[in-house]
Amino acid sequence: MSVAFRRDSDEEHLEPKFEIPIPPGPNFVTANGLAQIGERIAELEARIAQGNADDVGLNAAKRDLRYWHTRQTTAVLVAMPSGDRVEFGTRVTFSLRGEARTLVIVGDDEAYPTKCLVSFSAPLSQALIGAEVGEVLAFGGDDDGIVVLEIVPDSSG
């Protein structure tokens, strides 16, 4: 029989499933971020407990659970910032090329840019961290691309 017609199992024809990549560097989280990780783990554990062996999504849920368990065990809860300068967990209002914007600097897993939650590892956050109110910062090729207007510790985190 030709090898072209031989089929040992369906598994050999499926796309390979890889683990979810862990972001490099420390896993800094806000209190809200740590709570979100716990909620995600509880949801996945409940889904796995209810799933049956034929459930295609069961393996994906188990993979996701491994990721979130790793993120939970490596989480470093960052203390509430003072608000004197831009730090992890601050809500900062700034002018970017003349347009006022506000964002909160959070951990990688809790970042949600459309809700103005930006990861501490993002280039914009990196440009802002350490700055004080009134400071002018270089960004995007402009020497005066950012002007820090207000810094407040974010109480939602």
Side-chain angles (χ1 to χ4, degrees):
M1 177 184 276
S2 170
V3 175
F5 295 105
R6 194 188 93 226
R7 188 168 174 185
D8 291 332
S9 73
D10 287 338
E11 289 295 317
E12 67 186 81
H13 300 288
L14 297 176
E15 284 289 322
K17 303 293 184 214
F18 299 102
E19 293 298 310
I20 300 169
I22 303 290
N27 182 17
F28 295 135
V29 296
T30 63
N32 189 43
L34 191 57
Q36 289 174 0
I37 291 171
E39 291 167 8
R40 180 60 71 95
I41 288 172
E43 290 170 9
L44 289 166
E45 287 174 341
R47 180 171 175 209
I48 291 168
Q50 293 174 350
N52 59 39
D54 297 333
D55 185 3
V56 176
L58 189 61
N59 286 335
K62 288 179 180 179
R63 179 198 63 213
D64 291 352
L65 183 60
R66 287 189 298 274
Y67 173 84
W68 290 109
H69 271 300
T70 301
R71 297 306 278 171
Q72 186 178 49
T73 58
T74 61
V76 177
L77 182 61
V78 177
M80 179 68 85
S82 66
D84 295 336
R85 60 183 54 238
V86 178
E87 300 175 69
F88 185 96
T90 55
R91 177 177 306 275
V92 58
T93 301
F94 58 97
S95 173
L96 178 62
R97 296 183 189 99
E99 184 180 331
R101 298 179 182 205
T102 300
L103 62 82
V104 179
I105 299 176
V106 296
D108 290 324
D109 293 318
E110 54 191 310
Y112 202 142
T114 58
K115 292 186 176 181
C116 299
L117 301 172
V118 179
S119 170
F120 71 96
S121 60
L124 181 56
S125 295
Q126 290 295 303
L128 288 165
I129 290 176
E132 297 176 346
V133 172
E135 197 166 337
V136 178
L137 307 169
F139 186 73
D142 294 334
D143 289 339
D144 59 351
I146 296 174
V147 178
V148 179
L149 304 173
E150 182 182 38
I151 304 166
V152 179
D154 184 60
S155 59
S156 66

